[in-house]
Amino acid sequence: MSLPDFKLLRPRTVEAAIDHLARFGANVRVLAGGTDLIPSMRQKLFEPEYVLDLRRIADMRGIKPQPDGAVEIGALTTLRAIETSPYLRQYYPVLTEAAATVASPVLRNMGTLGGNICLDTRCLWYNQSLTWRKGCGFCIKKDGDLCHVAPGGTKCWAVFSGDTPPALLCLNAEIEISGPTGIRRVALHDFYTGLGDDYRKLQPGELVTRVFLPEASANYRGIYRKLRVRGSIDYPLAGVAVVMKNSNGHVSDARVGITAVNPAPMLVKGATELLTDKVMDDALAEAVGDLAARTAKPLTTSALTPEYRREMIRVFTKRAVLAAASN
Ligand SMILES: Cc1cc2nc3c(=O)[nH]c(=O)nc-3n(C[C@H](O)[C@H](O)[C@H](O)COP(=O)(O)OP(=O)(O)OC[C@H]3O[C@@H](n4cnc5c(N)ncnc54)[C@H](O)[C@@H]3O)c2cc1C
Ligand code: SF4
């Protein structure tokens, strides 16, 4: 599949990038590592007149510990840099674990944290060539008005399939969004809409420029588990992140995040309350697994059946909380 023709814009500053976005509006797509955008352009999911390549913006790269113990990560920081950062591995291990499972080493050398957060949602009826989609009929997510996954409905259920966002949600991460009206900082859990088509709250002229991990989320044990068809290179079909602090044989705090089973990554509501002040055992881990499985709403958007993916959320959550309590 060939790439459609486009003009490349290569700004060196965030300001220049935002100027380009303001000038060319809906005709631009942002490129960070390009590992998701380029295959999508080959499938003619996006046919922009301009591609805004962010890679020359040095200011958007790097892992910068702050004096108050928090850490700032540029949106262009590669997943490989995150995976191999001794600082993140020591203080925020759930993020390094999740980053290390994305795709393959080659793709992690190119792919960025910002691109992983902004990743387009996926569906078996959408991530296909133009010829395939024409043959089967276009759908709500692009060019059509029906859903093959939930016929009769008016909503798109395409699934969010990034690995790092559930880990970032567990760490109460915030993101910096830069746009024509200035800079705003939002909690990551407010960034996703829960819709498969219009999945993130980002205006056309805006960029995600930085990610912040608070000091209060440092030093938690962190575990990430994912289900995929090919262990060496694949999107998650179900993913679970857990952070936990233990003291005197009790869980003193914990959060559980899931991905690849809903149109947005999300924290499992009630998991913190269920775990806090308890002694970890099989029954408790099982109860958290049940809660996570009830939060997951997998549909036929992905390879493997929804039933199996939901069951694996239960199993992985149980295993992950047991591991976080014991390591
Ligand atoms: C074979 C294969 C396997 C993969 N497996 C996985 C996997 O296991 N797990 C996983 O999470 N991903 C997987 N991916 C997807 C992709 O490699 C990663 O999600 C990667 O992190 C995307 O980052 P990127 O910088 O390459 O994003 P890009 O492709 O450059 O961009 C992705 C999207 O985000 C937008 N965007 C990027 N950066 C910004 C920004 N700073 N501000 C605003 N918008 C932005 C782009 O416009 C685009 O819509 C896979 C891809 C392939 C091809
Ligand atoms: S969930 Fe429905 S509308 Fe969304 S991409 Fe899949 S088939 Fe299309």
Side-chain angles (χ1 to χ4, degrees), residues 169-317:
L169 288 173
C170 285
L171 295 171
N172 287 331
E174 294 184 337
I175 54 174
E176 177 188 87
I177 296 178
S178 304
T181 56
I183 291 176
R184 60 197 167 95
R185 193 160 154 165
V186 297
L188 184 64
H189 71 80
D190 289 331
F191 182 62
Y192 299 105
T193 62
L195 303 172
D197 45 356
D198 195 8
Y199 61 99
R200 54 183 186 178
K201 293 180 195 157
L202 197 65
Q203 299 306 314
E206 292 182 329
L207 292 172
V208 173
T209 38
R210 273 174 249 282
V211 178
F212 303 98
L213 306 181
E215 194 271 336
S217 298
N219 295 312
Y220 278 64
R221 289 173 179 178
I223 302 287
Y224 183 69
R225 295 284 180 267
K226 85 187 248 193
L227 172 70
R228 52 183 158 179
V229 174
R230 299 167 295 182
S232 57
I233 175 171
D234 240 332
Y235 290 88
L237 293 166
V240 178
V242 172
V243 297
M244 191 179 287
K245 266 193 179 164
N246 302 295
S247 75
N248 300 325
H250 290 70
V251 178
S252 54
D253 193 20
R255 285 181 288 279
V256 178
I258 57 175
T259 191
V261 281
N262 297 88
M266 53 180 63
L267 285 175
V268 175
K269 271 196 198 137
T272 301
E273 294 73 11
L274 192 58
L275 284 162
T276 306
D277 295 333
K278 304 276 175 45
V279 176
M280 181 57 68
D281 62 13
D282 235 51
L284 179 60
E286 191 100 35
V288 185
D290 286 346
L291 199 59
R294 284 201 296 277
T295 308
K297 304 272 182 281
L299 294 172
T300 56
T301 50
S302 317
L304 306 182
T305 64
E307 293 78 11
Y308 182 62
R309 288 162 53 222
R310 190 202 303 272
E311 185 54 26
M312 291 312 288
I313 286 282
R314 184 196 317 279
V315 170
F316 281 156
T317 304

Side-chain angles (χ1 to χ4, degrees), residues 24 51 61 73 93 104 119 147 155 159 164 173 181 191 198 203 207 226 228 241 243 255 291 322:
F24 300 113
V51 169
R61 223 176 266 283
I73 308 175
S104 66
L119 190 64
C147 175
K155 190 177 161 187
V159 73
T164 65
T181 56
F191 182 62
D198 195 8
Q203 299 306 314
L207 292 172
K226 85 187 248 193
R228 52 183 158 179
V243 297
R255 285 181 288 279
L291 199 59
L322 285 171

